[in-house]
Amino acid sequence: MEKKIEDAQVSILLEIEGKVHLVGMTKERLDAITMLIKNAVEVAIPTNKNQKDLYGFLNYNKDFPI
């Protein structure tokens, strides 16, 4: 099944020494990386999870400033 990704949100995680980290960057850099990722995607595999589930898994409070 083909998926539309034009309006998709991209979440970026880094694994450093076996630990998963969220990343922060300027909007301009995020926009550039988001465009590259969306153009490079060949397959999107559903996980049946949403952004809230991801934040819960990462123990991340969106209201907490990074």
Side-chain angles (χ1 to χ4, degrees), residues 38-49:
K38 288 181 179 183
N39 286 323
V41 167
E42 293 180 355
V43 64
I45 302 167
T47 64
N48 296 317
K49 302 293 181 189

Side-chain angles (χ1 to χ4, degrees):
M1 174 169 93
E2 188 173 327
K3 301 199 180 342
K4 295 244 178 199
I5 62 166
E6 295 87 22
D7 296 323
Q9 178 178 335
V10 174
S11 298
I12 303 170
L13 303 173
L14 287 178
E15 181 183 334
I16 303 170
E17 297 178 356
K19 303 289 184 183
V20 177
H21 296 72
L22 291 169
V23 299
M25 64 192 72
T26 65
K27 181 177 181 343
E28 292 79 17
R29 288 183 179 192
L30 177 60
D31 289 344
I33 290 171
T34 296
M35 182 190 69
L36 289 171
I37 290 170
K38 288 181 179 183
N39 286 323
V41 167
E42 293 180 355
V43 64
I45 302 167
T47 64
N48 296 317
K49 302 293 181 189
N50 58 34
Q51 195 72 24
K52 184 178 177 182
D53 296 332
L54 175 62
Y55 287 162
F57 171 75
L58 296 170
N59 196 29
Y60 171 69
N61 179 351
K62 189 172 182 179
D63 299 326
F64 183 81
I66 296 176

